[in-house]
Amino acid sequence: QEVFHSFRRVHQIFHQKLLKAAQPYGITPVQIFVLRALFDNAGISLTELADRIQLGASTTSGIVDRMEKAGLVLRERLPADRRAVRLTLTETGATVWRNLNAERMELLSPLLQLPAEDIGELLRIHEQIIEILQTAGVELDNGNK
């Protein structure tokens, strides 16, 4: 129970920090993940984006629709296959990501007060928890079941 409560508290605090960073840009925390994924992987498909942000394709499509209307994302149809779409950030989207990422890093910078060995141990334990839960049949629910 204590482990679950601890994870929940950490998740809530991270979410609040992301929300604080996203609000001035009129975007949601999940749209931050889309910006990052497209900034790092320009030209990926909707399916690849859904996998990267760990959401279902239909949910991801709705998010991209809203971001396209806001002028942050561009959908490009491939001439060879009109059904295939490549996703890229617009210049506005890339600028929003760069500004938002700098603010996000500043908000999370107090974590750097943790000693490097503690961070390494935390990451090792997180990987161990993921492995244990996946072995027990608990999978990430990204909507692609």
Side-chain angles (χ1 to χ4, degrees):
Q1 192 69 9
E2 289 178 52
V3 171
F4 178 77
H5 183 69
S6 175
F7 273 109
R8 179 135 172 78
R9 297 261 340 245
V10 168
H11 174 75
Q12 286 174 327
I13 291 169
F14 268 94
H15 186 77
Q16 288 169 358
K17 295 287 186 185
L18 285 176
L19 194 58
K20 184 175 182 177
Q23 281 179 332
Y25 300 98
I27 64 174
T28 65
V30 73
Q31 289 174 332
I32 294 173
F33 299 129
V34 172
L35 290 173
R36 179 182 183 174
L38 294 180
F39 188 83
D40 292 344
N41 307 281
I44 62 174
S45 69
L46 185 66
T47 302
E48 290 170 302
L49 176 62
D51 286 343
R52 289 185 187 277
I53 64 172
Q54 300 179 343
L55 291 174
S58 62
T59 301
T60 302
S61 181
I63 293 165
V64 169
D65 286 344
R66 288 184 291 282
M67 294 180 77
E68 186 177 28
K69 287 177 187 163
L72 301 172
V73 173
L74 180 64
R75 289 180 199 234
E76 297 177 285
R77 298 252 177 232
L78 299 179
D81 181 357
R82 299 293 298 159
R83 294 170 296 163
V85 175
R86 288 187 329 187
L87 302 171
T88 57
L89 291 180
T90 63
E91 190 56 45
T92 300
T95 299
V96 167
W97 166 249
R98 283 190 289 273
N99 294 339
L100 203 154
N101 189 45
E103 292 173 32
R104 179 180 69 105
M105 295 309 291
E106 187 176 318
L107 286 169
L108 297 174
S109 66
L111 289 175
L112 298 176
Q113 296 172 18
L114 290 169
E117 58 272 5
D118 286 354
I119 292 172
E121 186 68 4
L122 177 65
L123 295 174
R124 184 193 66 74
I125 292 169
H126 278 187
E127 285 301 316
Q128 191 175 9
I129 290 169
I130 290 166
E131 186 177 315
I132 289 168
L133 292 176
Q134 286 179 332
T135 300
V138 177
E139 295 293 329
L140 285 176
D141 182 10
N142 62 8
N144 293 329
K145 289 183 177 180

